[in-house]
Amino acid sequence: MLACALPDEAPFARVNTIRPAAVESNWTSMKMPDGGRTAFASISYLMAYDDDWGFGPGVYGAAKGNYGGIFTVGFTGQRRWRLTGNTHLAASLYVGAGGGVSSQQLRFGGGLMLRPEISLRTEVGRWYSGIGISQIRFPSGNVRSGTGLSFTLGRAMDFASFSPDDAGLPGRAGRRTGLGFDEITLTGGFEKPRSSARDRSGNPRTAKVGKAGAELRQYIAEGSWWGVEASGAAKGGADGYMEVLGQIGQDWAVFGTPRLRVGGQLGAGLGGGGNLDTGNGWLLRAGPTLRWITPWGPSLRLDAGYTHAPSGAYGGTFVRAALSMPLDRTPTLIADDPGGTVRAQQLGASVLHLPRVRFKDGRREAVTHLAVSMSREFSPRWYGTAQAGSAAAGSAGAYSFGLFGAGVQSDPLSPSWGRMRVGVEWLVGAAGGGGVAVGGGAVTQAEVWAQWQLAERLRLRAGVGEFRTLRHRQQSTPLTHLSLSYAFGTLQR
């Protein structure tokens, strides 16, 4: 643990820890049970727990062959051994859930995916690359690979944070804190497929697709950014469609005010599902953007453009509205930093059990979800939250969901109760796939919960609630939710 030095007399909370972190991607080829060949591409964020162990969330998606739409979301645990000054050996285990493009020959079972790997990496500055052996398995289905080669590319980073116990205090930091993003955005809009678009059976697919999603963005200079976006179908009969893209963009001030800005953005990533023919899954996206930075902090944005699947029969024009909430900003020297307020944030692994899920064929069965969950306080009482996950047990393999919303919480109770908090939250989003009945894909979830502080940065939470579709009342089931999360303080400037 490293401390960031500030003068003792400064009335500000200090950065409490700076841990190593990394953004890591890999490429794993495999043969599918129906005889076709594909490859899984991934992106993961790993944070060091100590000098040897790291953990973090990640997403895998099919990126080769005619399997666009296979996605899993989960967590990776990794152990590293230092061999020389610029090489290390890594053993990893990814545990996730998801699936897609199911058939009689291609079954993902309950959706649980395991991917062990051993790899040797070489470092050049903050970048590293490696080659290893790995295996992909869906234990309750028939999708599994042999042991084969995998390739890794990563970049070392730092994870700087305040103690979560400093929440609400003024703070300063000469660097970004937490996950390092400057804002989080909620998006919603429509995509109109081109006249030649087809579904996976070759039939015309021209109905509008309503989408809901979220993105994280970091500004590298005024008006210049990079980020990650994810969204899913929420209307239009394409439930189960999901996309994850990286993006870059630039905008410029207009009419003499830096708050109103016009520019453009480019995106590339993976998408598919919902019977949309995206071929091997790769998507390209480009278009103009209009952004208004309000005097109160949040930003309103209008995006438009074109989405194209190079190897598939899908593409179309889109328009979407976006609401962005600030998380941080480009760092300045501490002497020039006016400071901000420390807010608690949590990143965790969630298991949700839904005992009465309705399927499209009319049956009801229990389904268990595995999800990545994230929350951030806006004030001591209010917080924003998001979940992304997939079915991991039951018979709904290939079912996935993404939810975002807000909640209200109590102050910590007596220490004799483990500084327990109680709260309630409401989320909305998109879901589909795996034969689950979700109408057009728009869903909602409400929950009451209790949380215990196990250690300074470790939280255990249990909750009960209800999951249902927003329209048509096609789905309604109670749920129980158990999560374990890592808490840290970030600076809201």
Side-chain angles (χ1 to χ4, degrees):
M1 183 176 74
L2 301 175
C4 185
L6 286 177
D8 291 338
E9 65 272 19
F12 293 97
R14 306 181 181 199
V15 169
N16 178 264
T17 59
I18 302 175
R19 297 181 183 274
V23 174
E24 188 171 294
S25 62
N26 61 55
W27 180 272
T28 308
S29 298
M30 65 176 290
K31 184 177 181 180
M32 301 296 271
D34 61 0
R37 303 199 70 88
T38 189
F40 279 81
S42 76
I43 184 78
S44 300
Y45 182 89
L46 299 172
M47 184 184 66
Y49 178 76
D50 57 25
D51 291 339
D52 300 320
W53 290 90
F55 69 96
V59 58
Y60 280 73
K64 183 181 178 182
N66 193 31
Y67 298 98
I70 300 177
F71 280 100
T72 70
V73 177
F75 278 84
T76 296
Q78 188 176 98
R79 172 69 157 90
R80 294 186 179 184
W81 293 267
R82 172 62 56 186
L83 301 181
T84 69
N86 63 352
T87 61
H88 67 268
L89 181 70
S92 307
L93 176 63
Y94 169 81
V95 180
V101 200
S102 298
S103 66
Q104 289 297 321
Q105 294 79 31
L106 203 65
R107 300 186 304 277
F108 295 92
L112 179 67
M113 172 180 155
L114 303 176
R115 182 187 177 275
E117 179 193 63
I118 298 177
S119 60
L120 180 65
R121 288 95 172 275
T122 299
E123 303 155 18
V124 179
R126 298 183 70 86
W127 290 89
Y128 60 90
S129 61
I131 186 171
I133 56 173
S134 66
Q135 185 183 65
I136 290 176
R137 298 178 63 89
F138 288 80
S140 58
N142 69 343
V143 178
R144 64 195 66 185
S145 71
T147 301
L149 291 178
S150 61
F151 303 92
T152 299
L153 177 66
R155 188 179 191 278
M157 305 171 66
D158 289 331
F159 183 94
S161 65
F162 295 83
S163 168
D165 294 334
D166 289 335
L169 298 178
R172 277 183 177 174
R175 61 197 305 160
R176 289 183 176 90
T177 54
L179 298 176
F181 290 100
D182 298 334
E183 66 183 24
I184 184 170
T185 302
L186 307 181
T187 65
F190 291 90
E191 191 163 80
K192 172 63 176 175
R194 64 176 185 256
S195 59
S196 59
R198 295 289 185 269
D199 63 20
R200 284 191 165 271
S201 299
N203 300 314
R205 183 59 170 86
T206 57
K208 288 183 179 179
V209 179
K211 294 181 180 179
E215 66 179 50
L216 293 166
R217 180 179 287 189
Q218 182 188 101
Y219 290 88
I220 54 180
E222 183 179 2
S224 301
W225 70 84
W226 71 274
V228 180
E229 62 173 284
S231 62
K235 188 178 180 181
D239 65 275
Y241 176 84
M242 179 180 177
E243 59 187 23
V244 179
L245 295 91
Q247 59 173 231
I248 58 173
Q250 172 73 54
D251 59 19
W252 298 268
V254 294
F255 304 127
T257 170
R259 293 190 178 275
L260 185 62
R261 310 181 68 88
V262 173
Q265 57 184 348
L266 302 173
L270 299 174
N275 201 27
L276 303 183
D277 183 6
T278 58
N280 61 17
W282 285 103
L283 296 178
L284 302 176
R285 179 172 292 161
T289 179
L290 174 66
R291 179 165 61 116
W292 176 47
I293 307 171
T294 72
W296 313 283
S299 298
L300 299 176
R301 207 176 74 227
L302 186 64
D303 298 336
Y306 188 78
T307 301
H308 174 58
S311 67
Y314 182 77
T317 57
F318 71 89
V319 61
R320 66 186 179 195
L323 171 64
S324 301
M325 301 295 294
L327 298 177
D328 208 331
R329 69 180 183 203
T330 304
T332 60
L333 295 174
I334 286 183
D336 300 325
D337 185 8
T341 303
V342 177
R343 298 298 185 193
Q345 188 167 327
Q346 296 184 43
L347 179 65
S350 291
V351 177
L352 300 97
H353 182 70
L354 287 66
R356 299 181 64 248
V357 173
R358 182 187 295 276
F359 287 74
K360 293 179 179 178
D361 61 8
R363 75 185 191 278
R364 285 188 179 270
E365 292 184 7
V367 175
T368 299
H369 298 163
L370 176 65
V372 176
S373 56
M374 185 174 69
S375 68
R376 180 185 171 103
E377 293 181 352
F378 299 136
S379 72
R381 286 281 187 272
W382 293 92
Y383 65 93
T385 185
Q387 296 176 11
S390 298
S395 60
Y399 172 83
S400 296
F401 62 92
L403 302 167
F404 48 82
V408 60
Q409 63 185 6
S410 71
D411 288 328
L413 304 180
S414 167
S416 62
W417 287 73
R419 300 194 67 187
M420 183 178 75
R421 288 180 186 263
V422 294
V424 59
E425 66 186 33
W426 179 56
L427 302 91
V428 296
V436 177
V438 291
V443 296
T444 182
Q445 179 176 301
E447 182 181 340
V448 295
W449 54 263
Q451 178 179 273
W452 295 267
Q453 181 174 327
L454 304 181
E456 179 191 9
R457 293 173 177 262
L458 199 61
R459 307 287 188 267
L460 177 66
R461 177 176 138 170
V464 295
E466 183 184 39
F467 173 87
R468 63 184 308 139
T469 48
L470 273 174
R471 302 173 67 243
H472 310 303
R473 298 185 181 274
Q474 192 173 17
Q475 182 75 252
S476 178
T477 175
L479 66 87
T480 55
H481 180 187
L482 187 67
S483 70
L484 184 66
S485 61
Y486 180 84
F488 50 94
T490 61
L491 201 58
Q492 179 179 324
R493 292 185 249 208

